[in-house]
Amino acid sequence: MREQKGYVFHRGNSWFVRYYDTDATGKRVQKCEKLKVAYGGEYRTRRSVQPFIDEILAPLNSGLLNPQATMLVTEFVDTIYLPQYVEKQLRPASLKQYRDVWSNHLKNRMGKLTLRSFRTVHGEQMLADVAAKAKLGRSSLRHCKAFLSGAFKQAKRLGILDGINPVMDVSIPRVPEPEEDTYAYNLSEIRTMLAVPEPARTVVLTAAFTGLRKSELRGLTWDNFNGEELSVKRSVWGTKKLAEKLKPGSSVWGGVANEPKTKRSRACIPVVKQLADALEAHRLRMGILAQPNLPIFQAGNGQPLNLDNLARRVIAPVAKWHGWHGFRRGLATNLHALGVDDKTIQAILRHSNIGITQNIYIKSVSESQVSAMDSLSEKLGICNDHATPGDGPVN
């Protein structure tokens, strides 16, 4: 292809360059692009703005430009990035997060930007607008940036783009994090919640003593409990409708069922006597529904209990509710206040760590984990009543 020099002109206070390009279908089309600098001052001649013209025409004149680079970012994400990469590589939970970030915050702000024309300044302005109008915290804004960065990385891997990822240097706007995201239940709040009727009381007790995530509580089955430990084999999140949408035929658990993300997340959790007694009493109340392959906390139809409904109907009326993750943070906070070392707390919560040495060390602290949970049990001073008939599952 003959090297292009472009047709340069100014109109009002702006410089423009007109040139020919190839669209995603291979058709040659004429385009007009505004230069970065305004007409006037030191930028009054073509020679003065030539570097900015060269910047635009260089990819075209190099002969290495992929026609797909003129594809709209929205088209690339919807037809290539999400279906051909994200859906095949990520777990359903991560897939939903990716789709929500794209549809709720980024897609409508992308406009007619193409892969090739997207610049760092566009990403900067986009995140600033999301922060101002969507009121997201820094963590959510990082997810937005990570999504965009991942899309452009994939375009580079496919040979559509070359050069530096334009999202790499996009900054995260400074915004306050929502207080609710870091709330930890204290011992007094946990005692108040333990006044709720069964089976909510046993659910609260399990969450407070194990630090299990909401999805892990829903995924517990009776064969995961041996009287001394709880083993985490799966997590269940979302609804049956969502499970069918993400993967048809996968809603047998009433939601999206996954194995734990990491080996550390699959570790066993020590069960203190008070919790073990409460679970055994719950088993008696469940009767025939307490089958090895059925959820420990179920709605009576063999599917996991809807914990959000349970919290709204039973727990929230007696105590201020800050979500199920507050138990997990509360466990860490309360154990720390009792003098338990941080590595033992990390092992109980099954957190991963970037330090290989720390991960190896933590494998040898099982006895201290049990001792730490006993300390928390004694501090709460919980006494379990004997199992009583008549308390059935709650929908």
Side-chain angles (χ1 to χ4, degrees):
M1 181 185 295
R2 188 177 64 181
E3 181 175 306
Q4 294 193 64
K5 296 185 178 181
Y7 173 70
V8 183
F9 63 98
H10 66 83
R11 183 169 296 164
N13 294 324
S14 302
W15 278 104
F16 297 88
V17 59
R18 190 175 291 144
Y19 59 94
Y20 284 94
D21 198 356
T22 304
D23 63 18
T25 64
K27 182 180 179 181
R28 187 172 168 82
V29 294
Q30 189 179 70
K31 292 191 173 183
C32 185
E33 188 167 339
K34 184 178 178 180
L35 301 188
K36 296 179 182 178
V37 293
Y39 174 79
E42 61 179 306
Y43 299 113
R44 289 183 174 275
T45 65
R46 174 175 179 133
R47 178 176 295 181
S48 64
V49 297
Q50 190 63 46
F52 302 98
I53 300 170
D54 293 341
E55 182 181 348
I56 294 172
L57 300 180
L60 297 168
N61 291 329
S62 68
L64 300 176
L65 188 65
N66 189 320
Q68 285 186 297
T70 60
M71 181 186 300
L72 294 176
V73 177
T74 52
E75 182 184 356
F76 173 76
V77 171
D78 287 335
T79 63
I80 297 178
Y81 182 53
L82 284 175
Q84 297 182 23
Y85 174 73
V86 176
E87 291 182 5
K88 294 180 180 180
Q89 299 294 327
L90 301 184
R91 292 156 52 94
S94 300
L95 173 58
K96 181 180 184 300
Q97 182 185 65
Y98 268 55
R99 287 192 177 280
D100 288 346
V101 165
W102 173 242
S103 60
N104 295 339
H105 305 300
L106 299 177
K107 185 174 182 177
N108 292 338
R109 290 179 166 88
M110 200 61 67
K112 298 296 183 181
L113 286 171
T114 64
L115 291 171
R116 197 181 73 203
S117 65
F118 190 96
R119 297 164 53 210
T120 300
V121 66
H122 296 128
E124 191 81 9
Q125 294 169 348
M126 200 170 293
L127 287 194
D129 189 61
V130 171
K133 296 179 180 178
K135 306 297 184 184
L136 298 185
R138 284 179 64 83
S139 178
S140 296
L141 291 172
R142 289 190 191 96
H143 291 318
C144 291
K145 177 180 176 179
F147 180 96
L148 286 175
S149 181
F152 281 94
K153 282 181 182 177
Q154 188 62 14
K156 291 181 65 177
R157 294 188 188 107
L158 295 174
I160 298 174
L161 292 177
D162 289 306
I164 297 174
N165 186 327
V167 186
M168 183 174 67
D169 291 328
V170 172
S171 64
I172 304 296
R174 288 195 170 277
V175 293
E177 287 287 355
E179 293 183 4
E180 292 77 14
D181 286 350
T182 57
Y183 195 86
Y185 295 123
N186 58 42
L187 295 179
S188 175
E189 290 171 314
I190 294 173
R191 288 195 190 97
T192 300
M193 293 184 200
L194 289 174
V196 297
E198 295 291 359
R201 180 181 182 275
T202 301
V203 178
V204 169
L205 200 63
T206 305
F209 271 135
T210 64
L212 285 171
R213 303 170 180 91
K214 181 178 72 172
S215 59
E216 294 169 342
L217 286 168
R218 294 187 70 199
L220 287 175
T221 55
W222 283 109
D223 58 1
N224 298 149
F225 174 55
N226 64 7
E228 297 179 352
E229 293 178 334
L230 279 169
S231 56
V232 182
K233 302 294 186 183
R234 71 184 58 79
S235 62
V236 178
W237 61 276
T239 62
K240 183 175 182 178
K241 182 178 180 180
L242 177 62
E244 287 297 326
K245 180 179 179 181
L246 293 177
K247 187 177 180 181
S250 65
S251 61
V252 63
W253 274 84
V256 182
N258 291 318
E259 291 185 354
K261 277 187 176 182
T262 65
K263 182 178 179 181
R264 293 289 302 281
S265 292
R266 293 190 290 272
C268 292
I269 303 170
V271 175
V272 297
K273 185 179 185 302
Q274 286 85 348
L275 176 56
D277 291 345
L279 287 171
E280 291 296 350
H282 178 61
R283 192 200 300 263
L284 290 176
R285 286 191 297 272
M286 295 300 294
I288 195 172
L289 295 176
Q291 299 295 321
N293 63 333
L294 291 181
I296 292 179
F297 304 116
Q298 60 172 283
N301 58 358
Q303 294 189 344
L305 188 65
N306 187 320
L307 296 184
D308 289 332
N309 284 347
L310 183 75
R312 184 174 62 255
R313 298 174 183 176
V314 184
I315 304 174
V318 303
K320 190 170 182 180
W321 183 247
H322 294 277
W324 288 99
H325 218 71
F327 290 109
R328 187 169 175 83
R329 299 188 197 96
L331 178 60
T333 303
N334 295 325
L335 288 175
H336 183 76
L338 292 172
V340 179
D341 66 273
D342 290 346
K343 293 190 184 300
T344 300
I345 296 172
Q346 180 192 11
I348 292 171
L349 295 184
R350 299 159 295 121
H351 280 152
S352 296
N353 192 285
I354 59 173
I356 296 177
T357 303
Q358 289 178 327
N359 287 337
I360 295 174
Y361 168 78
I362 290 169
K363 291 181 180 179
S364 64
V365 298
S366 58
E367 291 184 3
S368 63
Q369 291 179 40
V370 175
S371 176
M373 299 305 293
D374 285 336
S375 295
L376 180 62
S377 171
E378 293 172 5
K379 186 70 175 179
L380 278 172
I382 294 169
C383 296
N384 287 297
D385 296 328
H386 294 297
T388 56
D391 288 327
V394 174
N395 291 323

